Amino acid sequence: YQRRDMGSVFMSCSCRPRCHSQHPPSWADSLETAEDLDTDDPLYPYKAFSLDARELYLNSECPRVFNISPLEFYREYVSQNRPVLLSGMVEHWPAFHKWSNTYLREKIGDLEVTVDVTPHGYGDAIVDGRFVTPVQKSMKFGAFLDILENTEETERMPPEPTGTLERKRIPEKGVYYIQHQNGNFLEEYEPLHDDVDEHIPLASQALGLAPDAVNIWIGDSNAVSSLHKDPYENLYVVVAGEKHFTLLPPSDVAFLDERLYPAAHYKEDNGGFIIEPEEPEQLVPWISVNPDMPDLSTHPNFKYASPLHVIVRAGDILYLPSLWYHQVSQVADRHNRVIAVNYWYDMTHDCKYNYYMLLRNTLQLKKPPAIEIEPLELTDRCTGGRSRTSSESSEEGRAFIESLATEQASDDEHEN
């Protein structure tokens, strides 16, 4: 199999990149090398690190590739921790022509699903100096679809800190979004399993792993995921509508002003929403800057970041490397829906992760004790918080690759 891949590396020109996304001009565009920086600047090491990353391996635009092999994908993108748009790999999915509202009502209209509700569309976001999570509701999918079909798009505004946190009422009816990130597609949407692939073959073969989780995302244009990162290699497939990603590489972490915030949650109350603090108090490391509308008076160092804007349309796959920061907004189709399915593959905690944590931990020393950044916990949110060992991942990967090989051999025998 590797010999066949090597042939495509040297003989195929089908993976020439075409760029469909870009970043705006930045401070670094006026510099030639890190030697042009002021060494007396307290941010000098971080600026030099970020600038070197852009010179050495990061693209100024997110490329789009076709017919790429697993070896090429791993060599050019996974190993270098670079995002890429993949085309022509999921066109065979029945979901693209089946998932009309009529079909979804027939298949899963009476199914109980988990839906997140927020007053403004921002899930897991900083509001009033707290990390606030959505209301979680269990409801029939048909009722959720009714809400989408009867919701008008509103002007999207970021959460504003307004007065006292306790018992503050937010007079909005709410934005409903299916985004429960616990492998919800496999757990709650069994009737739809045959309409998509159980894994992304390109990624499974390149990584030697099966996905840790498969999630489905359904909402309208009001839903936004605030800036965050995930400890997974993410293969994100859009089925309907558009997803607009704003990406920032791990090398820009010094400019994002990550802090510890007390945790809270929304609660519905007499037709509105209130924010209730978690008890006992919990602290969550998060980022409050909105990269699409940054407030440089509050986050002055963000001007040194270089966000990359990527539009992912129906039929596209975005490979989002582990530890890349991303904020996601969306544009609904004519039925007021945005639908996506993503596949989380366990990241490798190798030297790249080690260097990232070194960089992140130096920032901890430069922040007051009240807002220190806690080190990341090596836990898998999709396995109940249980730590995964490298041997477990390796054993699972070997078993999965053996099953792929057996399946391929069976197919070859059948064809012969």
Side-chain angles (χ1 to χ4, degrees):
Y1 182 79
Q2 285 189 344
R3 285 196 297 271
R4 186 167 58 195
D5 279 347
M6 290 302 293
S8 70
V9 169
F10 294 113
M11 299 178 65
S12 172
C13 297
S14 60
C15 63
R16 292 187 184 128
R18 287 190 347 200
C19 298
H20 283 245
S21 49
Q22 59 185 1
H23 71 86
S26 75
W27 66 279
D29 293 337
S30 62
L31 301 173
E32 293 186 2
T33 68
E35 295 178 357
D36 298 326
L37 297 171
D38 179 5
T39 56
D40 293 328
D41 183 348
L43 286 176
Y44 166 74
Y46 306 109
K47 290 181 180 178
F49 187 84
S50 177
L51 188 60
D52 284 344
R54 271 172 278 191
E55 288 182 345
L56 293 172
Y57 68 95
L58 291 180
N59 291 327
S60 61
E61 298 180 331
C62 183
R64 178 185 293 274
V65 299
F66 303 80
N67 301 323
I68 190 170
S69 73
L71 178 59
E72 291 170 304
F73 174 59
Y74 185 84
R75 184 189 65 188
E76 297 295 331
Y77 299 103
V78 177
S79 68
Q80 297 188 44
N81 198 240
R82 295 194 298 154
V84 62
L85 281 168
L86 304 168
S87 293
M89 297 186 183
V90 290
E91 294 171 348
H92 61 281
W93 281 15
F96 288 106
H97 65 266
K98 281 188 173 182
W99 283 7
S100 66
N101 286 356
T102 300
Y103 175 84
L104 293 174
R105 276 199 171 86
E106 290 175 354
K107 295 288 285 188
I108 59 173
D110 292 329
L111 205 65
E112 288 286 328
V113 298
T114 304
V115 180
D116 285 359
V117 187
T118 60
H120 42 59
Y122 279 71
D124 296 346
I126 304 303
V127 183
D128 286 346
R130 291 183 180 266
F131 173 76
V132 186
T133 55
V135 175
Q136 285 192 351
K137 283 186 171 184
S138 180
M139 61 192 302
K140 290 187 182 298
F141 183 84
F144 167 76
L145 208 54
D146 289 340
I147 292 171
L148 287 192
E149 290 179 332
N150 293 284
T151 299
E152 293 183 0
E153 183 177 356
T154 59
E155 182 180 1
R156 184 182 297 118
M157 296 296 290
E160 296 288 346
T162 53
T164 310
L165 175 70
E166 290 76 10
R167 306 301 295 176
K168 185 193 74 174
R169 188 177 304 283
I170 304 172
E172 297 184 31
K173 65 179 181 179
V175 175
Y176 286 65
Y177 191 26
I178 290 176
Q179 61 159 6
H180 204 45
Q181 301 162 47
N182 62 340
N184 66 340
F185 184 70
L186 298 182
E187 293 290 330
E188 297 186 351
Y189 294 85
E190 190 274 335
L192 300 182
H193 287 182
D194 290 340
D195 295 341
V196 304
D197 288 342
E198 62 180 343
H199 65 105
I200 302 296
L202 175 77
S204 299
Q205 294 173 30
L207 299 169
L209 296 170
D212 272 14
V214 182
N215 304 305
I216 190 168
W217 311 72
I218 308 177
D220 60 21
S221 296
N222 294 305
V224 181
S225 297
S226 67
L227 190 63
H228 68 286
K229 65 182 179 307
D230 297 307
Y232 291 101
E233 308 294 350
N234 191 351
L235 279 294
Y236 202 101
V237 184
V238 173
V239 177
E242 295 179 357
K243 291 278 186 173
H244 291 215
F245 283 77
T246 300
L247 308 180
L248 291 128
S251 51
D252 276 356
V253 62
F255 312 134
L256 306 184
D257 199 17
E258 184 176 16
R259 298 171 181 254
L260 285 180
Y261 293 93
H265 59 271
Y266 285 112
K267 180 180 178 181
E268 291 181 311
D269 184 70
N270 293 328
F273 291 80
I274 59 174
I275 298 175
E276 290 192 340
E278 298 289 351
E279 295 181 359
E281 184 177 71
Q282 304 170 24
L283 296 177
V284 177
W286 207 257
I287 296 166
S288 63
V289 63
N290 181 341
D292 296 328
M293 296 183 288
D295 181 353
L296 297 181
S297 64
T298 305
H299 307 284
N301 291 338
F302 189 78
K303 63 178 174 286
Y304 302 118
S306 294
L308 184 68
H309 301 291
V310 185
I311 298 176
V312 189
R313 297 183 172 89
D316 290 341
I317 305 176
L318 173 65
Y319 165 60
L320 178 59
S322 57
L323 303 180
W324 272 67
Y325 294 86
H326 51 287
Q327 177 163 295
V328 190
S329 57
Q330 50 195 37
V331 177
D333 65 6
R334 61 190 180 89
H335 302 294
N336 201 37
R337 314 169 308 165
V338 182
I339 305 176
V341 178
N342 85 300
Y343 299 76
W344 269 339
Y345 290 82
D346 196 22
M347 69 173 288
T348 301
H349 296 95
D350 56 9
C351 60
K352 295 190 295 293
Y353 175 81
N354 198 191
Y355 294 147
Y356 166 76
M357 287 305 298
L358 173 64
L359 179 64
R360 192 168 182 264
N361 287 333
T362 63
L363 296 173
Q364 178 177 348
L365 301 177
K366 295 179 180 297
K367 290 184 177 289
I371 53 172
E372 284 185 347
I373 296 177
E374 294 181 336
L376 290 174
E377 295 181 4
L378 302 185
T379 58
D380 182 345
R381 76 178 77 177
C382 299
T383 55
R386 179 179 62 83
S387 297
R388 293 171 54 85
T389 66
S390 58
S391 61
E392 284 181 304
S393 294
S394 297
E395 288 297 329
E396 290 178 3
R398 279 193 289 271
F400 183 66
I401 292 304
E402 288 174 3
S403 72
L404 284 179
T406 301
E407 181 180 329
Q408 182 64 46
S410 176
D411 291 342
D412 291 345
E413 182 178 347
H414 179 73
E415 289 176 2
N416 294 333

